[in-house]
Amino acid sequence: MSRRLFWRIRSPHTGFRSAPSVRTPSVHTSSVPLASPRAGSRTALRRAATLLASVALLGGGLTLSASPALAAAPTAVSLPGTFDSAIGCSADWQPDCAQAQLTRQADGRWKASLSLPAGSYTYKIAVNGSWTENYGSGGVPGGANISLTVPSGGERVGFVYDPDTHVVTDNSAMPVVTAAGDYQSGLGCAANWSAGCTATTMTDPDGTGVYTYSTTAIPAGDWNTKVTLGQTWGTNYGAGGVAGGADIPFTVPADGARTTFSYNAATHLMTVVSNQGATAPLDTLGALYTSSATTFRIWSPDSSNVSVAVGGTSHPMTATTLGGYTDVYQAVVSGDLKDQPYQFSVNGVAVPDPYAQMVKPGTTQGVVVDTAAVAPSSGGWAPRPALVNREDAVVYELSTHDFTIDPSSGVDAGRRGKFLGLVQTGTTYNGVKTGIDHLKELGVTAVQLMPSFDFGSTVPNWGYDPVDYNTPEEQYSQFTAPEDRIREYKDMVDAFHRNGIRVIMDVVYNHTYTKSVFGNITGKYYTGTDLSGTGDSIDDGNPMVSRMIQDSLEHWVRDYDVDGFRFDLAGVHYYKDAYNWANYLQTTYPDRDLMFYGEPWNGGAGDPNEAQKVRYGTLPALAPVHFGAFNGVYRDAIRGGTNDNVMGFMGGSGNPSAVAFGMTGSPTDADSTGTLSDLWTPAFADRPDQTMNYVSIHDNLDLYDKITYSGGTGGATGTAGRIDRLAVGTVLTSQGVPVIAEGDEFLRSKVVNGDYDTAKNSYNAPDSVNAIHWGDKITNASIFAYYRDAIALRRATASLRLTTWSAIHNQMTTQVDGSTVIARISSDPGAPTTYDTVVVANPTAGAYNVTLPSGTWTKVLDASGATSATGTSCDPRAVTVFTRS
């Protein structure tokens, strides 16, 4: 058995204790109503329309067997309304007026920008120049007029219409948003700190709720800003989104640097990014570039015989003092060394730079670059997608290679399996969306990229064998020039953000490819006991190793704008180090809402420092910094063992009490951040965002293969499809944060010619095994529709996303009736037992009739997906959700 094979088939659930018997903490949340109507109820009708519009908004657009067919693509879209005469139409409410027409964009949406005088108006969307097809509020066919108010003085209003959802948005609902500050007089304003100056007005043309203003005219220097609403100081927000708060400082690094102001109307947070100029690198180790000299630094605790060779000359390095570091050696080499290779040596042996920001592939040489100074191709970062609470996230794990390498991805040949292939828009396969457009249609909020920094294997390989922690993997790049490779990764992140998707990196700081990666510098990088199962586990118990990991994390956050990290084998790390890393980054970048989570186990080794490592029992201590863990206990309760042929709850067996507890977010018994004596307790989350819920991930059999290996048959329309929907429906209606593995949403299988053994451990399998085959989306369209609908329901129902321990315990109750699990949730903390959402997970082969609390209830999710029905019957092998009107 090879070393890599041994590592990838680690058994993370080994040693977990059985899940506890029934726990019934109360549950509640303020939910956006998704109820469908009872006959004759106008209120319920509006709620049903909201549900269907929400489902479409969060992913619709594909005609599937489980969903109604969509109208033909429009050839014209217009804005008939009471403002038509004000824009030059012959009268109001003219669907064929030329001045009221929208223009189709490359992304398929329709946009218009109209200068409107002050006043109150109403309007609708009309398709193809007539009233035959029209849409009102919420995208409802023939629905209510949409209201719009333009403030005194008039304004230019942007409209955006989505033909998939039929929803139109405009940016007139907010007062005028102004970036006020001590720089305004240099931008044409009469004075600084002017709330009424239109030169620094922030706009939201796409209707996302994030307003931006960008300029290159602010000179280099230190400046201050705040945001004002309504062109007065009556409403203003400062640092931290505080009303009337402190000024927000920012630095423009060089004349001509692009400075972008972003204001989130939901959180009131204002951020400023100015990074097009020659931004200084972080003052850490490695190669710190300036145009006049480069400073080289390396940690060498065992030897003073240290040098760096660059440009054909070797330079001795001498001990230096650097705050927060020990045993650092440094050499300052004059001249402009940009893009020059360099080589560290210790005791005459060539060694890599653990901090290298670019490397010469296949060597131990770094390359001098200034990562921070390389701007995305757009010239500046797009505002990151809003994340009000981490529980709002729906995470989708994917491999850069596997996701687009197959020609069915529709991605350009040169981009398949590459970073920019992930974000190529407009791709299809036989009429269905693929790639990033598929992710948007599915409705996920974040991608979790499997290892994307430099690793030692040759693709196809998932890359869990790192060599250089701070360098994008060259096999995923189209380019060879250093700055082009850096910009490519930044363009990928920026494009995900522009499409409403955050980026979480899967990081592997627990070990290296081999011990030779760092071992010739010092053996102190590595643990005495192999904890990762690879023979080269990293020892972050050494303060300088811990600092290296923190510096690497900051490099990706600061210079590449990523949104969080998934830690492979986080159980190798000390929990206090994990706390320090997360706390430093959350404090240093408070506007980012970063996510941190990982596997709370190691590679299967006994650890002499077990109680000090990341385990379920130490997770409560990490709650203040929002550090979570993959919930392997809940995974096994739902699906059964990772690679065996016995199903758990999803197959109608197992322990339904463990599932009932997992649905509550696996909360601790007491609201405390103290560590627990049982390191493998299933009751570990002091906050719901600490449990990452999943039934499938890159390791082991994927969900559909687990089902068929265990005897499930019938494909999408048979028992296997029902079991698949039950499993993921349980995850998507549980408290915590759901994670979906790529392709599960259309029954991806990695079994080729009956070979389940390879499918169990396919880390280095060929593309015939691991590549995503997009034809599966057509074959299994009903499965995709269910995933899409369940995600939309989750995102639109706050009761499925409680955010505190007390909310879980006070506002949610669970019940086990035979094999069926029932959860009742209230959305009102003031009325914690007035339940308005009921979730029923029925793994049996027969229908189940649930007793609902008093009130008018509507079934909004069943075995097929979104629905609008009355009654109390719950489908067999299905999750059914009811909401109260």
Side-chain angles (χ1 to χ4, degrees), residues 42-171:
R42 296 182 63 184
T43 299
L45 283 168
R46 288 194 297 268
R47 291 164 64 88
T50 301
L51 168 60
L52 296 176
S54 298
V55 167
L57 178 63
L58 297 175
L62 172 66
T63 301
L64 300 168
S65 59
S67 302
L70 299 175
T75 58
V77 176
S78 61
L79 293 163
T82 58
F83 50 67
D84 283 356
S85 57
I87 61 174
C89 299
S90 60
D92 290 337
W93 297 106
Q94 296 295 309
D96 57 350
C97 173
Q99 290 87 339
Q101 301 298 313
L102 291 85
T103 302
R104 189 181 187 277
Q105 307 297 301
D107 62 7
R109 295 184 297 175
W110 296 71
K111 297 183 181 180
S113 180
L114 305 178
S115 292
L116 300 180
S120 296
Y121 305 95
T122 56
Y123 70 97
K124 298 178 75 172
I125 281 290
V127 175
N128 298 333
S130 76
W131 287 106
T132 302
E133 183 181 349
N134 72 88
Y135 301 95
S137 180
V140 177
N145 295 342
I146 304 164
S147 297
L148 176 155
T149 299
V150 177
S152 176
E155 68 176 350
R156 178 166 287 275
V157 179
F159 298 84
V160 181
Y161 168 70
D162 188 328
D164 290 340
T165 66
H166 307 304
V167 172
V168 62
T169 58
D170 65 71
N171 63 357

Side-chain angles (χ1 to χ4, degrees), residues 196-211:
C197 179
T198 59
T200 58
T201 296
M202 305 173 74
T203 60
D204 177 23
D206 294 329
T208 62
V210 177
Y211 293 75

Side-chain angles (χ1 to χ4, degrees), residues 311-554:
T313 302
S314 179
H315 304 268
M317 303 177 72
T318 57
T320 189
T321 300
L322 185 65
Y325 301 84
T326 60
D327 299 314
V328 173
Y329 287 78
Q330 172 178 297
V332 179
V333 181
S334 61
D336 189 342
L337 303 181
K338 186 177 181 180
D339 295 341
Q340 292 294 307
Y342 64 95
Q343 178 71 68
F344 283 135
S345 295
V346 176
N347 290 327
V349 177
V351 298
D353 174 9
Y355 280 73
Q357 297 179 32
M358 187 55 60
V359 296
K360 189 173 180 180
T363 74
T364 55
Q365 296 178 54
V367 177
V368 177
V369 292
D370 187 2
T371 300
V374 178
S377 295
S378 62
W381 293 108
R384 72 188 61 256
L387 183 66
V388 178
N389 297 299
R390 290 167 179 82
E391 293 85 355
D392 297 339
V394 179
V395 179
Y396 185 98
E397 183 198 46
L398 60 81
S399 158
T400 301
H401 179 86
D402 298 347
F403 195 63
T404 66
I405 192 62
D406 192 78
S408 64
S409 68
V411 169
D412 294 344
R415 293 184 175 186
R416 292 177 197 155
K418 308 296 185 183
F419 291 128
L420 290 184
L422 294 179
V423 293
Q424 181 177 334
T425 59
T427 59
T428 61
Y429 178 72
N430 285 355
V432 300
K433 296 177 181 178
T434 63
I436 191 172
D437 289 345
H438 165 79
L439 297 177
K440 292 165 64 179
E441 186 180 23
L442 184 60
V444 298
T445 70
V447 290
Q448 176 185 299
L449 298 183
M450 291 164 66
S452 57
F453 51 44
D454 186 52
F455 52 79
S457 301
T458 301
V459 295
N461 191 292
W462 287 337
Y464 287 90
D465 44 16
V467 175
D468 297 286
Y469 286 129
N470 299 321
T471 302
E473 169 55 44
E474 75 273 3
Q475 295 176 93
Y476 294 160
S477 176
Q478 301 175 76
F479 306 105
T480 56
E483 279 73 22
D484 289 342
R485 286 176 54 195
I486 292 168
R487 184 176 295 105
E488 178 185 31
Y489 199 101
K490 292 189 177 189
D491 283 349
M492 175 191 67
V493 175
D494 191 49
F496 271 124
H497 286 174
R498 291 178 187 277
N499 284 278
I501 297 173
R502 287 180 162 236
V503 178
I504 296 168
M505 292 184 68
D506 189 341
V507 289
V508 191
Y509 295 116
N510 66 83
H511 76 282
T512 56
Y513 182 45
T514 65
K515 269 192 177 178
S516 64
V517 173
F518 297 147
N520 289 329
I521 302 173
T522 174
K524 293 177 181 176
Y525 276 105
Y526 297 99
T527 58
T529 301
D530 175 29
L531 302 178
S532 63
T534 65
D536 43 28
S537 57
I538 289 290
D539 183 13
D540 60 277
N542 187 304
M544 282 294 286
V545 178
S546 179
R547 182 59 187 261
M548 177 193 71
I549 294 173
Q550 178 177 295
D551 290 343
S552 178
L553 293 168
E554 185 174 16

Side-chain angles (χ1 to χ4, degrees), residues 62 64 429-432 746 773-782:
L62 172 66
L64 300 168
Y429 178 72
N430 285 355
V432 300
F746 40 68
H773 299 283
W774 290 92
D776 291 342
K777 185 177 179 181
I778 299 171
T779 303
N780 303 311
S782 61

